[in-house]
Amino acid sequence: MAAKRWIPETLFDELDFRMTYAAGRVLHEVRTKHQHLVLFEHKFFGKVLMLDGATQVTSKDEFIYHEMMTHVPILAHGQARQVLIVGGGDCGIAEEVLKHKAVERLTQVEIDPSVVEFAEQHFPEFTRPVLRNPRFDLIIDDGMNYVARTERRFDVIIVDSTDPQGPGKVLFSEGFYRACRRCLTAGGVMVTQNGVPILQGNELAAGIRKFRRLFADGYCYVAAIPTYVGGHMAMGWASDNAKLRATPVATIASRYARAGRFPTRYWTPQVHVAAFALPRFIAEHVQRAARPQRPRARSRRRN
Ligand code: SAM
């Protein structure tokens, strides 16, 4: 019997920490123009997509992240008609957005067409309800270029990006967030993939600090996604309407009812509101982001 191939997640190598999968069949492995892509079957997590050594999506737990990145901003906003996804190649987020019949148009800007092509082959549960939907349009471009140039305006922007490495790095920059703010309608909201605080706390604080320089409200909410290893996953939140994230549970529940109570497996109105109640160590990252930064000590050598 052929030896099992163990595929490591190398995202946290600098922390001497690796999660590793014993791959069943490797369905696809390629270096695209932008990144290394491997798609394989796993006996417990089902299909697993990894980009540049980081887990992107698995069949087993995708619903948690996809529902929380979608229903929280859309139902908190309450009147989202125009929605933008930056990244999101596997179309898992787009599938959730289109459950909101009141959304008139969903635009997805993805840098790497190969990710969408592979998802069309291997994640039809996401792509089938999306790619031929008249409310959906796919643009192949760097998200930074698009938000810097578009004349369109959006009520909700969902940044479903890879981590701050390779093509995804620019999507964590202040310039990108500033351009996203320009594309938001008044009172619009932007949510971002912001890493796992216990392992990427500095990244979270840095992100929220940038939000707070640009928006009236910069914060995050959390959910636990088993294959985004490390406990809570933080989803960044930025809006000029500081009341949005405090929308009461009864209001969220009635908006969900009006939206047709589409099926969910993780998100509920109660989970929505609770996701903003941050554990103390994560709240401290948010507070740290609010504190003025101490000027870096000048290195003696230069004196
Ligand atoms: N949920 C995953 C996560 O949290 O790590 C992300 C999933 S999704 C597959 C990430 C997508 O972002 C990929 O398809 C990648 O090609 C895309 N992406 C990375 N950098 C980008 C950029 N600068 N502009 C647009 N899309 C980008």
Side-chain angles (χ1 to χ4, degrees), residues 34-35 49 51 54-57 65-66 86-90 109-112 115-116 141-144 160-163 165-171 193 228 233:
H34 301 279
Q35 51 211 339
L49 171 67
L51 294 172
T55 306
Q56 301 298 306
V57 64
Y65 171 81
H66 290 152
V86 177
D90 52 66
V109 180
E110 164 58 54
I111 198 169
D112 193 339
V115 179
V116 182
D141 192 1
D142 183 331
M144 181 70 231
D160 178 26
S161 71
T162 42
D163 288 275
Q165 58 182 18
K169 194 171 174 118
V170 68
L171 304 182
Q193 181 279 80
Y228 294 167
M233 168 91 179

Side-chain angles (χ1 to χ4, degrees), residues 200-277:
Q200 300 163 299
N202 293 339
E203 180 191 309
L204 175 62
I208 294 177
R209 193 171 290 120
K210 292 167 191 162
F211 295 167
R212 290 191 172 197
R213 279 201 283 266
L214 298 163
F215 295 85
D217 188 27
Y219 204 73
C220 70
Y221 58 105
V222 293
I225 295 130
T227 54
Y228 294 167
V229 70
H232 298 86
M233 168 91 179
M235 286 156 269
W237 175 275
S239 176
D240 281 337
N241 178 345
K243 294 204 188 83
L244 274 191
R245 71 179 155 88
T247 306
V249 68
T251 309
I252 300 292
S254 68
R255 287 176 183 166
Y256 177 48
R258 254 202 325 278
R261 273 208 191 86
F262 45 78
T264 63
R265 294 179 57 208
Y266 186 89
W267 180 94
T268 67
Q270 293 73 20
V271 166
H272 173 134
V273 171
F276 289 96

Side-chain angles (χ1 to χ4, degrees), residues 73-74 77 79-86 97 103-109 135 137 139 143 146-158 179-191 215 238-240 244:
I74 291 180
H77 184 283
Q79 294 175 323
R81 302 288 176 269
Q82 306 290 324
V83 176
L84 172 67
I85 297 173
V86 177
V97 172
V103 170
E104 292 160 4
R105 190 160 169 205
L106 168 61
T107 300
Q108 179 162 312
V109 180
R135 292 183 290 146
D137 47 358
I139 295 171
Y146 181 79
V147 292
R149 289 184 176 77
T150 184
E151 288 312 316
R152 296 207 35 224
R153 296 293 176 266
F154 302 93
D155 305 308
V156 170
I157 298 178
I158 301 173
C180 285
R181 185 171 180 281
R182 182 189 74 87
C183 299
L184 276 174
T185 53
V189 58
M190 174 183 75
V191 296
F215 295 85
S239 176
D240 281 337
L244 274 191

